[in-house]
Amino acid sequence: MRLVVQEGPGELCLNYTWLPTWLGINSKFKKDMEDHLKGQIVGLTLDEVGLEKAHRLVIDYICSKNPGIEGLYDYLDALKFVSLK
């Protein structure tokens, strides 16, 4: 699982339910992140490489806005090892 998932053909969605609660419920933060990242994510291929790049862009943004949280990058990146069956 990644922080960005494909919802439909050509459509990506932030997988906000897996974010820490204080981020997942912060609609302003999510909107600011979407506005900031839209230009970098639009046009990515929706294959493994493109989805991984989008995942890392989201993590980089979150970490840049929360520099005092040690281990946040690893915590968020570890979501890629979670799968739902």
Side-chain angles (χ1 to χ4, degrees), residues 19-52:
L19 289 173
T21 303
W22 52 273
L23 287 176
I25 63 172
N26 187 334
S27 56
K28 180 178 178 352
F29 182 85
K30 291 186 295 185
K31 175 73 170 114
D32 290 347
M33 180 170 50
E34 179 183 320
D35 292 345
H36 179 81
L37 295 178
K38 188 181 294 186
Q40 298 173 63
I41 291 177
V42 170
L44 289 178
T45 57
L46 299 183
D47 58 9
E48 289 296 312
V49 173
L51 291 171
E52 182 64 21

Side-chain angles (χ1 to χ4, degrees), residues 20 22 59 62-76:
W22 52 273
I59 293 171
I62 292 171
C63 290
S64 74
K65 298 299 181 185
N66 300 279
I69 302 176
E70 190 172 321
L72 182 59
Y73 188 95
D74 294 330
Y75 171 82
L76 295 171

